[in-house]
Amino acid sequence: MKTKKVISTAVTAASAAAAAGMATKLKKLVLGNSTPGYNNARLTSLSLGNNTLLEELDITNCQNLSGAMDFNQYNNLTTFLAKGTSITSVVFAPSGKVKTAYLPDTVNTLEMQNLDKLTDFKASLDSLEKLTLRGGIINHRELLDKCIDTLREL
């Protein structure tokens, strides 16, 4: 009986994250998963490079991923899923297309300006210290009520 040689083509999250910055036509990047118990501990940094076409980014439960996510140049981003990460700062593109944003409990800096399409927003904001909030359809009062005890700069 002949045996077939199996070649693994699996891509690790770390190598996918490293390559993401070079894939300038990338529209969807999924490095995480919301399945209970899932943890992608290998992903510790993420550089999106010049992916201005990026629409969806899922880094859910990548618990060792920390730092800032600056989406200023990512006007096409519609979905950002980051629950279960250690991200501390999120800046969305002013007047961007974001519809869905799930942020981790670790966010201490948040910038949202004129996000008129944001209808699905989930974040505890227990650690939020700095907030920039202008326009958009999100309920400002409700958002401020969540973070008033920790907020230092508005």
Side-chain angles (χ1 to χ4, degrees):
M1 174 185 258
K2 288 185 178 182
T3 59
K4 292 184 180 181
K5 188 176 185 179
V6 177
I7 300 171
S8 175
T9 57
V11 177
T12 65
S15 62
M22 296 182 282
T24 57
K25 295 187 179 186
L26 188 67
K27 289 189 174 187
K28 183 175 184 177
L29 181 58
V30 177
L31 298 170
N33 191 310
S34 62
T35 302
Y38 176 84
N39 175 28
N40 179 347
R42 293 178 184 245
L43 185 64
T44 58
S45 66
L46 178 61
S47 174
L48 297 174
N50 193 27
N51 281 315
T52 57
L53 299 178
L54 188 65
E55 295 174 1
E56 297 179 37
L57 177 59
D58 184 349
I59 52 175
T60 304
N61 291 323
C62 295
Q63 74 176 27
N64 293 333
L65 180 61
S66 61
M69 296 301 299
D70 186 346
F71 297 115
N72 260 314
Q73 65 179 344
Y74 301 92
N75 291 318
N76 290 311
L77 187 71
T78 60
T79 304
F80 177 54
L81 307 175
K83 286 279 191 187
T85 67
S86 297
I87 298 294
T88 56
S89 175
V90 178
V91 176
F92 290 108
S95 303
K97 298 177 182 177
V98 177
K99 295 178 184 177
T100 302
Y102 296 175
L103 307 183
D105 300 338
T106 53
V107 169
N108 61 28
T109 302
L110 178 60
E111 191 170 316
M112 300 190 304
Q113 298 181 56
N114 303 315
L115 298 181
D116 295 332
K117 295 178 168 78
L118 182 60
T119 56
D120 190 7
F121 180 76
K122 293 182 181 163
S124 72
L125 304 178
D126 290 340
S127 302
L128 197 66
E129 295 177 4
K130 181 179 179 186
L131 175 64
T132 302
L133 185 61
R134 291 189 188 103
I137 60 172
I138 197 162
N139 184 325
H140 292 201
R141 175 68 181 210
E142 184 178 306
L143 191 73
L144 285 170
D145 285 345
K146 282 185 171 183
C147 61
I148 198 70
D149 292 334
T150 58
L151 205 58
R152 295 178 186 208
E153 188 176 333
L154 179 60

